[in-house]
Amino acid sequence: MPDRLGAPATGPADGSTSTGPGRVLVALYGTFALAAGARAAVQLATQFDEAPLAYLLSAFSAVVYLVATVGLARGGRSGRRTAVVACLVELVGVLVVGTLSLADRQAFPDATVWSGFGQGYGFIPLVLPLLGLLWLRHLRELDRDAESDRDAEPGPDGAAERERPS
Amino acid sequence: MIPALVVAATVAALVVAALGGLSTVLRRRTGLAHLVAAGVLQLVLLVQLAFVLVGLALGERPPETATFLAYLFSVVLVPVAGVLWSRSEPTRWAGTVLAVAGLVVAVMVWRLLQLWEATGA
């Protein structure tokens, strides 16, 4: 039984977010979209009056995670651009909310995903947008390399000419 | 909830995570070992679910019931989702996706126990 640990994997991914290491990011983002979303739904439904700001922030962070998940899962230029914006919003969110939650505890009587820089979630909310942005930058560099390769050797049917951005 | 089952689920989840990580390191997809480990994990989670449902039927109520139920039912879905996802992934990152699922379960069962044992203020 040589394949008990699985058949050999196919070669390195072609730099899309829909397969390869990008899948891990999608899985992480999906988990957080679900966790933050469920938490926000429960909080808003049962105890909105106690800490409206914190609970609305939970809901907002859930939406951002969802947008990032969809952007990463779809891939392609528009998907990636969406993911970059979502990751940036997330990074700003976790830094601002993290700082505010430590500076002004009155405003955050109950925790959000981003409170204390994501302390309640093993600081993953702080690391996740950085990982996302690094990965997206890596993909952009792969794209650029592929483009310059195409420029060096134009295809016989002129495909490279058509694909090259003006 | 039975703490021994939580420990068993944690061990099984960590085994799933370790096997997943190993596949990625060895540049392999997921295989039989992952299926068996995830199956064991799923079994433990389902037994746990059955005990909790009996407890709820007998009138036990954790203080944050809604949150508890959300965790209770979603934790059972995580290994299934992880396995399905990893089997559709042809690159070596299939194992890492499964490992993420394993770690998520390991965290969720402890949060579940915490919610169950919390006493209403």
Side-chain angles (χ1 to χ4, degrees):
Chain A
M1 277 293 291
D3 283 352
R4 223 169 269 163
L5 268 177
T10 55
D14 57 355
S16 84
T17 44
S18 53
T19 184
R23 285 286 234 179
V24 179
L25 266 183
V26 176
L28 281 170
Y29 269 100
T31 306
F32 268 83
L34 208 67
R39 175 177 200 157
V42 169
Q43 289 174 332
L44 288 176
T46 61
Q47 43 199 19
F48 178 69
D49 296 338
E50 286 173 30
L53 178 61
Y55 299 155
L56 285 175
L57 263 172
S58 283
F60 174 68
S61 65
V63 172
V64 176
Y65 282 120
L66 191 64
V67 170
T69 308
V70 172
L72 285 169
R74 276 184 54 225
R77 270 176 199 275
S78 66
R80 274 192 243 157
R81 204 173 307 132
T82 313
V84 168
V85 173
C87 284
L88 284 173
V89 172
E90 231 184 287
L91 188 59
V92 172
V94 74
L95 291 177
V96 170
V97 173
T99 311
L100 284 180
S101 66
L102 294 180
D104 182 10
R105 287 172 192 278
Q106 297 293 319
F108 295 89
D110 204 353
T112 72
V113 180
W114 287 338
S115 294
F117 302 108
Q119 208 171 15
Y121 292 79
F123 294 105
I124 296 176
L126 184 60
V127 180
L128 212 48
L130 294 172
L131 278 181
L133 288 172
L134 282 175
W135 173 244
L136 287 160
R137 197 183 71 169
H138 169 69
L139 291 182
R140 221 168 30 238
E141 275 164 8
L142 283 184
D143 262 11
R144 208 174 297 144
D145 290 352
E147 242 160 52
S148 55
D149 282 356
R150 272 204 304 274
D151 286 352
E153 298 172 50
D157 58 359
E161 298 298 320
R162 279 203 300 278
E163 278 177 30
R164 195 186 298 163
S166 51
Chain B
M1 285 184 75
I2 300 172
L5 277 178
V6 173
V7 173
T10 310
V11 171
L14 292 180
V15 168
V16 169
L19 283 173
L22 189 64
S23 280
T24 298
V25 171
L26 297 178
R27 295 174 183 273
R28 290 182 167 273
R29 304 179 61 176
T30 53
L32 187 63
H34 301 85
L35 274 186
V36 171
V40 169
L41 173 61
Q42 189 69 28
L43 194 68
V44 176
L45 290 177
L46 287 176
V47 171
Q48 177 84 272
L49 174 67
F51 275 109
V52 170
L53 288 181
V54 169
L56 289 173
L58 293 177
E60 287 193 64
R61 285 286 179 278
E64 292 182 49
T65 312
T67 311
F68 179 79
L69 289 178
Y71 269 92
L72 183 65
F73 288 105
S74 45
V75 75
V76 185
L77 301 177
V78 174
V80 180
V83 165
L84 290 178
W85 192 341
S86 67
R87 293 195 71 80
S88 71
E89 173 63 39
T91 69
R92 63 187 177 122
W93 298 97
T96 310
V97 168
L98 191 60
V100 168
L103 293 178
V104 166
V105 170
V107 172
M108 282 180 81
V109 287
W110 285 98
R111 179 83 182 113
L112 204 52
L113 183 64
Q114 207 179 33
L115 286 167
W116 179 259
E117 289 185 336
T119 47

